[in-house]
Amino acid sequence: MSTDLDKRIAVLETKQAIRNIVHEKGLALDVPYDADAIRNVYTSDAAVITGSFGRYRGADQYYAMYAQLAERIPFTFHLKTNGIIDVADDGDAATGRWFGFEAPTVGSEAVIGGLVERSAYRPENARWLISSYDQTLKFLCPYADGWKARDASAGAWAPR
Amino acid sequence: MSLDNTPALSDTTKEANMDLNHELTQRIDVLESTDAIREVRHRFNELLDAALESGSDHTLDQLVALLAPDFRWTSKVHGSVHGAGAFAALVKDRSTTCQMSFRILASDLHHPSDDADRSTVTWSSLGMLTIDDQQLWAAAANTDTYARIDGTWRIESIDNDYKFVCRYEEGWTDERFVEHTLLSRVM
């Protein structure tokens, strides 16, 4: 097969591998917050930036953050849609943008959220993983109020 | 005779290899086109949300760059808006009353086409909007057409079949659609 076809197939395979890891993370979030499973979708040095939920770098920090969320959030439902993935010319790195929608129960309160995610990806131990995750909340609000409340309560729900 | 130890390929084998290469190239093109179409529509959504929230001319220019010049936006609510410029003007107008726009897009179904440079795709979308201080759910089935123009996939048309556009506080059970004055502000 020609080098050109080989490269074009590699890009398609990379994009599918990245979609898979993004959705694998979504499933882990919906356990809810299976910190061990979530650690398997990030690189060991990944930066996780969650807006009003804080910034975390490296496996120890983001593992602790997700483990803490699991204690306070008994139910979650996440959708990841609207994905756009750009693979670098050398094929060794990629970036992505996604929309996220979530419907968790925080404590005993139903919550809905919408966010825009910007992520980066690179292979580690022969698997494409998330090397950085940066979310910008469009809204995160009690279901009873709706999104006009935006993220008024987000600070109170953040891991401590 | 070849200069190395590789046996020379017969003409029949060379022809078969060329046929296989051609077929693989076509099959890869279909996969790449499907991906490019999906991403141009996602980019459209992202920019439409941003343009509705900001009214920014720069964002509108980026949005128009994704469209074929004779782009059509149709729905029973809006009728038919013809031309990328007319569509941008409509978005600009609607941005004056839109405080928040967030729409998720899913379930893309790519219909087979004999023309490698044209495509029809159906989608399902769910919008969370705040218009005139009223928060709304807006669900629709979309039928889009796309054309590859100078090697780049662009959106030729989007038809919106709204399933419900309702007040967040009231839901879609009793009244699926809000009154026309508010409905007509929804995109």
Side-chain angles (χ1 to χ4, degrees), chain A residues 52-102:
Chain A
S52 52
F53 280 23
R55 304 165 74 95
Y56 308 87
R57 180 169 282 281
D60 289 347
Q61 287 189 10
Y62 63 70
Y63 183 91
M65 183 268 289
Y66 285 115
Q68 201 173 29
L69 285 177
E71 291 172 8
R72 303 170 56 211
I73 301 181
F75 173 81
T76 61
F77 173 71
H78 287 82
L79 285 179
K80 278 286 157 71
T81 65
N82 303 40
I84 300 171
I85 300 166
D86 293 309
V87 180
D89 285 343
D90 63 9
D92 288 341
T95 57
R97 298 198 302 280
W98 298 84
F99 281 10
F101 174 78
E102 58 186 306

Side-chain angles (χ1 to χ4, degrees), chain A:
Chain A
M1 198 185 307
S2 74
T3 308
D4 174 59
L5 290 185
D6 194 36
K7 190 174 177 183
R8 289 166 67 183
I9 290 172
V11 169
L12 292 168
E13 289 174 333
T14 295
K15 290 178 124 184
Q16 188 55 48
I18 289 169
R19 280 184 209 107
N20 286 351
I21 206 71
V22 167
H23 296 316
E24 190 177 321
K25 180 186 163 191
L27 290 175
L29 292 174
D30 286 348
V31 169
Y33 298 110
D34 181 342
D36 290 318
I38 293 169
R39 184 162 51 190
N40 288 333
V41 304
Y42 282 122
T43 58
S44 49
D45 61 350
V48 179
I49 300 166
T50 59
S52 52
F53 280 23
R55 304 165 74 95
Y56 308 87
R57 180 169 282 281
D60 289 347
Q61 287 189 10
Y62 63 70
Y63 183 91
M65 183 268 289
Y66 285 115
Q68 201 173 29
L69 285 177
E71 291 172 8
R72 303 170 56 211
I73 301 181
F75 173 81
T76 61
F77 173 71
H78 287 82
L79 285 179
K80 278 286 157 71
T81 65
N82 303 40
I84 300 171
I85 300 166
D86 293 309
V87 180
D89 285 343
D90 63 9
D92 288 341
T95 57
R97 298 198 302 280
W98 298 84
F99 281 10
F101 174 78
E102 58 186 306
T105 302
V106 181
S108 59
E109 184 171 41
V111 169
I112 52 171
L115 59 90
V116 178
E117 164 192 336
R118 281 170 163 64
S119 293
Y121 314 92
R122 70 159 201 269
E124 188 173 272
N125 299 324
R127 284 184 80 215
W128 277 91
L129 297 175
I130 303 166
S131 56
S132 77
Y133 170 87
D134 186 347
Q135 71 174 31
T136 302
L137 287 174
K138 294 280 282 193
F139 58 89
L140 184 64
C141 51
Y143 182 82
D145 298 337
W147 43 84
K148 274 174 71 177
R150 296 286 181 117
D151 61 345
S153 301
W157 296 329
R160 286 184 284 266

Side-chain angles (χ1 to χ4, degrees), chain B residues 166-185:
Chain B
C166 61
R167 285 180 167 76
Y168 179 84
E169 300 82 357
E170 295 173 8
W172 47 86
T173 305
D174 294 335
E175 293 285 347
R176 284 197 294 132
F177 294 96
V178 293
E179 67 278 11
H180 186 77
T181 319
L182 185 54
L183 184 59
S184 66
R185 306 301 299 175

Side-chain angles (χ1 to χ4, degrees), chain B residues 4-180:
Chain B
D4 58 21
N5 292 328
T6 309
L9 296 176
S10 70
D11 287 348
T12 313
T13 307
K14 280 182 192 167
E15 208 168 287
N17 281 348
M18 284 172 64
D19 285 348
L20 178 62
N21 218 41
H22 180 66
E23 187 201 320
L24 286 176
T25 301
Q26 283 184 322
R27 288 164 64 186
I28 291 168
D29 182 64
V30 169
L31 293 171
E32 288 174 333
S33 292
T34 301
D35 202 45
I37 287 166
R38 195 182 286 131
E39 293 199 350
V40 74
R41 185 58 154 90
H42 289 167
R43 180 87 181 126
F44 171 87
N45 250 46
E46 185 181 39
L47 288 167
L48 178 60
D49 282 345
L52 283 167
E53 289 182 359
S54 70
S56 153
D57 290 332
H58 175 64
T59 308
L60 284 167
D61 289 344
Q62 291 178 298
L63 185 65
V64 165
L66 306 177
L67 309 177
D70 58 348
F71 173 75
R72 289 182 315 283
W73 171 269
T74 55
S75 75
K76 286 179 183 166
V77 175
H78 303 98
S80 179
V81 178
H82 197 185
F87 177 71
L90 180 69
V91 175
K92 181 85 174 174
D93 175 70
R94 296 302 188 263
S95 72
T96 59
T97 51
C98 179
Q99 289 89 44
M100 207 281 288
S101 178
F102 180 67
R103 58 197 78 212
I104 55 179
L105 200 59
S107 312
D108 50 313
L109 176 60
H110 299 249
H111 298 268
S113 170
D114 291 333
D115 185 342
D117 293 324
R118 300 182 71 81
S119 182
T120 301
V121 183
T122 50
W123 297 84
S124 297
S125 66
L126 179 65
M128 285 145 264
L129 316 171
T130 306
I131 296 173
D132 277 338
D133 248 11
Q134 174 59 55
Q135 43 194 1
L136 301 167
W137 290 111
N142 302 117
T143 302
D144 301 357
T145 60
Y146 301 82
R148 181 155 46 186
I149 302 169
D150 298 329
T152 301
W153 282 98
R154 296 185 195 283
I155 307 172
E156 260 194 330
S157 69
I158 296 177
D159 180 69
N160 303 275
D161 178 10
Y162 292 106
K163 300 299 180 185
F164 57 80
V165 178
C166 61
R167 285 180 167 76
Y168 179 84
E169 300 82 357
E170 295 173 8
W172 47 86
T173 305
D174 294 335
E175 293 285 347
R176 284 197 294 132
F177 294 96
V178 293
E179 67 278 11
H180 186 77

